[in-house]
Amino acid sequence: MIVGYVVAQLAGFWLVTLIAAATHGLGLHMNLPLSGWAVSAGVLLGAVWVVTFTWYFARPWLHDANAGGLAWCAPSQHHSYAVALLMAFTLVALVVVTELLLPPDPRQLTGPMQLLSTSRGATHVLFVLLAVVIAPPVEELMFRGVAF
């Protein structure tokens, strides 16, 4: 499954890049909007692959809430919600303290994810949509037993 996910991501990225090169000529330079659409197409194709793989090969486990299944189940003890919230707030506090003690150098934040997250327009909307809506369920499917 993971190999298919990576192949689908690469295929989506290269598909958009090749279409852009065919329409703009071989002198095309990879700019921020093109990178955003290429990465987004890759993530979208990867998500389609994960859902398709899960539907055809892991469907029996979709409603199984045991350790080997993929379904969510309610916690056996009600204080588990409070423990989960406490852990989440602790992690957020650790991240904030780390950021305050070791602040990042803004001049070195020039990677593609930083550029996409600070972009404007349709590229930014697509980036947020993929990061907030598509990525979490795809990651849950991949890491709840389908891939491993």
Side-chain angles (χ1 to χ4, degrees), residues 58-83:
R59 194 177 334 170
W61 297 288
L62 287 175
H63 299 288
D64 182 5
N66 294 321
L70 298 173
W72 285 95
C73 60
S76 58
Q77 300 172 354
H78 293 292
H79 73 279
S80 300
Y81 291 111
V83 171

Short mmCIF file of all heavy atoms in Angstrom, two decimals, residues 58-83:
data_model
loop_
_atom_site.label_atom_id
_atom_site.label_comp_id
_atom_site.label_asym_id
_atom_site.label_seq_id
_atom_site.Cartn_x
_atom_site.Cartn_y
_atom_site.Cartn_z
N ALA A 58 -9.14 -4.09 2.23
CA ALA A 58 -9.27 -4.04 3.68
C ALA A 58 -10.70 -3.79 4.13
O ALA A 58 -10.94 -3.45 5.28
CB ALA A 58 -8.35 -2.95 4.24
N ARG A 59 -11.66 -3.98 3.25
CA ARG A 59 -13.06 -3.70 3.60
C ARG A 59 -13.55 -4.51 4.80
O ARG A 59 -14.28 -3.97 5.64
CB ARG A 59 -13.96 -3.94 2.39
CG ARG A 59 -15.33 -3.35 2.61
CD ARG A 59 -16.27 -3.46 1.46
NE ARG A 59 -15.64 -3.54 0.16
CZ ARG A 59 -16.30 -3.83 -0.94
NH1 ARG A 59 -17.58 -4.05 -0.90
NH2 ARG A 59 -15.68 -3.88 -2.09
N PRO A 60 -13.18 -5.80 4.97
CA PRO A 60 -13.68 -6.54 6.13
C PRO A 60 -13.26 -5.92 7.47
O PRO A 60 -13.94 -6.11 8.47
CB PRO A 60 -13.07 -7.93 5.97
CG PRO A 60 -12.71 -8.04 4.55
CD PRO A 60 -12.41 -6.66 4.08
N TRP A 61 -12.15 -5.20 7.49
CA TRP A 61 -11.67 -4.63 8.76
C TRP A 61 -12.19 -3.23 9.03
O TRP A 61 -11.89 -2.66 10.08
CB TRP A 61 -10.14 -4.62 8.77
CG TRP A 61 -9.58 -6.00 8.69
CD1 TRP A 61 -9.59 -6.95 9.67
CD2 TRP A 61 -8.95 -6.59 7.56
NE1 TRP A 61 -9.01 -8.10 9.20
CE2 TRP A 61 -8.60 -7.90 7.92
CE3 TRP A 61 -8.65 -6.14 6.28
CZ2 TRP A 61 -7.97 -8.76 7.04
CZ3 TRP A 61 -8.02 -7.00 5.41
CH2 TRP A 61 -7.68 -8.29 5.80
N LEU A 62 -12.97 -2.67 8.12
CA LEU A 62 -13.44 -1.29 8.32
C LEU A 62 -14.41 -1.15 9.50
O LEU A 62 -14.52 -0.09 10.08
CB LEU A 62 -14.12 -0.77 7.04
CG LEU A 62 -13.17 -0.44 5.89
CD1 LEU A 62 -13.98 -0.04 4.66
CD2 LEU A 62 -12.22 0.67 6.27
N HIS A 63 -15.13 -2.21 9.83
CA HIS A 63 -16.10 -2.14 10.94
C HIS A 63 -15.64 -2.94 12.14
O HIS A 63 -16.40 -3.13 13.08
CB HIS A 63 -17.47 -2.63 10.46
CG HIS A 63 -18.02 -1.81 9.35
ND1 HIS A 63 -18.48 -0.53 9.54
CD2 HIS A 63 -18.15 -2.05 8.02
CE1 HIS A 63 -18.88 -0.02 8.39
NE2 HIS A 63 -18.69 -0.92 7.44
N ASP A 64 -14.40 -3.41 12.12
CA ASP A 64 -13.85 -4.18 13.23
C ASP A 64 -13.13 -3.24 14.18
O ASP A 64 -12.12 -2.64 13.82
CB ASP A 64 -12.89 -5.24 12.68
CG ASP A 64 -12.32 -6.14 13.77
OD1 ASP A 64 -12.73 -6.00 14.94
OD2 ASP A 64 -11.45 -6.97 13.44
N ALA A 65 -13.64 -3.11 15.40
CA ALA A 65 -13.05 -2.18 16.37
C ALA A 65 -12.00 -2.85 17.25
O ALA A 65 -11.50 -2.23 18.18
CB ALA A 65 -14.15 -1.59 17.24
N ASN A 66 -11.64 -4.09 16.97
CA ASN A 66 -10.60 -4.76 17.75
C ASN A 66 -9.23 -4.21 17.34
O ASN A 66 -9.11 -3.40 16.44
CB ASN A 66 -10.67 -6.27 17.52
CG ASN A 66 -11.95 -6.85 18.08
OD1 ASN A 66 -12.40 -6.43 19.14
ND2 ASN A 66 -12.54 -7.79 17.36
N ALA A 67 -8.18 -4.72 17.98
CA ALA A 67 -6.83 -4.23 17.72
C ALA A 67 -6.43 -4.43 16.26
O ALA A 67 -5.69 -3.63 15.70
CB ALA A 67 -5.84 -4.93 18.63
N GLY A 68 -6.89 -5.47 15.61
CA GLY A 68 -6.53 -5.72 14.22
C GLY A 68 -7.41 -5.02 13.22
O GLY A 68 -7.15 -5.06 12.02
N GLY A 69 -8.45 -4.34 13.67
CA GLY A 69 -9.39 -3.69 12.77
C GLY A 69 -9.06 -2.23 12.52
O GLY A 69 -8.10 -1.69 13.07
N LEU A 70 -9.87 -1.60 11.70
CA LEU A 70 -9.66 -0.20 11.35
C LEU A 70 -10.70 0.74 11.96
O LEU A 70 -10.57 1.95 11.86
CB LEU A 70 -9.71 -0.03 9.83
CG LEU A 70 -8.64 -0.77 9.04
CD1 LEU A 70 -8.92 -0.66 7.57
CD2 LEU A 70 -7.29 -0.20 9.36
N ALA A 71 -11.74 0.19 12.54
CA ALA A 71 -12.83 1.03 13.04
C ALA A 71 -12.45 1.67 14.37
O ALA A 71 -11.66 1.15 15.15
CB ALA A 71 -14.09 0.18 13.23
N TRP A 72 -13.04 2.82 14.62
CA TRP A 72 -12.87 3.49 15.90
C TRP A 72 -13.79 2.82 16.90
O TRP A 72 -14.88 2.37 16.57
CB TRP A 72 -13.25 4.96 15.80
CG TRP A 72 -12.21 5.77 15.09
CD1 TRP A 72 -12.20 6.09 13.78
CD2 TRP A 72 -11.05 6.33 15.67
NE1 TRP A 72 -11.08 6.84 13.49
CE2 TRP A 72 -10.37 7.00 14.63
CE3 TRP A 72 -10.51 6.34 16.95
CZ2 TRP A 72 -9.18 7.66 14.85
CZ3 TRP A 72 -9.34 7.01 17.15
CH2 TRP A 72 -8.68 7.66 16.12
N CYS A 73 -13.38 2.78 18.14
CA CYS A 73 -14.26 2.27 19.19
C CYS A 73 -14.20 3.23 20.38
O CYS A 73 -13.22 3.93 20.57
CB CYS A 73 -13.86 0.86 19.62
SG CYS A 73 -12.20 0.72 20.26
N ALA A 74 -15.27 3.25 21.13
CA ALA A 74 -15.32 4.12 22.30
C ALA A 74 -14.34 3.61 23.36
O ALA A 74 -14.14 2.40 23.49
CB ALA A 74 -16.73 4.15 22.87
N PRO A 75 -13.69 4.50 24.10
CA PRO A 75 -12.78 4.03 25.13
C PRO A 75 -13.52 3.29 26.23
O PRO A 75 -14.69 3.57 26.50
CB PRO A 75 -12.14 5.32 25.66
CG PRO A 75 -13.00 6.42 25.20
CD PRO A 75 -13.76 5.94 24.02
N SER A 76 -12.84 2.33 26.83
CA SER A 76 -13.49 1.51 27.84
C SER A 76 -13.72 2.29 29.14
O SER A 76 -14.58 1.93 29.92
CB SER A 76 -12.66 0.26 28.11
OG SER A 76 -11.36 0.62 28.52
N GLN A 77 -12.93 3.32 29.39
CA GLN A 77 -13.09 4.12 30.60
C GLN A 77 -13.30 5.58 30.20
O GLN A 77 -12.63 6.09 29.31
CB GLN A 77 -11.86 3.98 31.49
CG GLN A 77 -11.62 2.54 31.91
CD GLN A 77 -10.29 2.39 32.63
OE1 GLN A 77 -9.52 3.32 32.72
NE2 GLN A 77 -10.05 1.20 33.14
N HIS A 78 -14.22 6.24 30.88
CA HIS A 78 -14.57 7.60 30.50
C HIS A 78 -13.47 8.62 30.80
O HIS A 78 -13.42 9.65 30.16
CB HIS A 78 -15.87 8.03 31.18
CG HIS A 78 -17.05 7.24 30.69
ND1 HIS A 78 -17.52 7.36 29.42
CD2 HIS A 78 -17.81 6.31 31.30
CE1 HIS A 78 -18.55 6.54 29.24
NE2 HIS A 78 -18.74 5.89 30.38
N HIS A 79 -12.59 8.33 31.73
CA HIS A 79 -11.51 9.28 32.01
C HIS A 79 -10.46 9.27 30.91
O HIS A 79 -9.57 10.11 30.89
CB HIS A 79 -10.88 9.00 33.38
CG HIS A 79 -10.02 7.78 33.43
ND1 HIS A 79 -10.55 6.53 33.58
CD2 HIS A 79 -8.68 7.64 33.32
CE1 HIS A 79 -9.55 5.65 33.58
NE2 HIS A 79 -8.43 6.29 33.42
N SER A 80 -10.58 8.37 29.94
CA SER A 80 -9.63 8.33 28.82
C SER A 80 -9.69 9.62 28.01
O SER A 80 -8.67 10.06 27.48
CB SER A 80 -9.93 7.14 27.92
OG SER A 80 -9.82 5.94 28.64
N TYR A 81 -10.86 10.23 27.90
CA TYR A 81 -10.98 11.50 27.18
C TYR A 81 -10.17 12.59 27.89
O TYR A 81 -9.48 13.39 27.25
CB TYR A 81 -12.44 11.93 27.06
CG TYR A 81 -13.24 11.07 26.13
CD1 TYR A 81 -14.24 10.24 26.63
CD2 TYR A 81 -13.01 11.08 24.76
CE1 TYR A 81 -14.99 9.44 25.78
CE2 TYR A 81 -13.75 10.29 23.90
CZ TYR A 81 -14.74 9.47 24.42
OH TYR A 81 -15.48 8.69 23.58
N ALA A 82 -10.27 12.64 29.20
CA ALA A 82 -9.53 13.64 29.97
C ALA A 82 -8.03 13.41 29.84
O ALA A 82 -7.25 14.36 29.68
CB ALA A 82 -9.95 13.60 31.44
N VAL A 83 -7.60 12.16 29.87
CA VAL A 83 -6.17 11.85 29.70
C VAL A 83 -5.70 12.26 28.31
O VAL A 83 -4.61 12.83 28.15
CB VAL A 83 -5.91 10.34 29.96
CG1 VAL A 83 -4.50 9.96 29.59
CG2 VAL A 83 -6.20 10.00 31.41
#
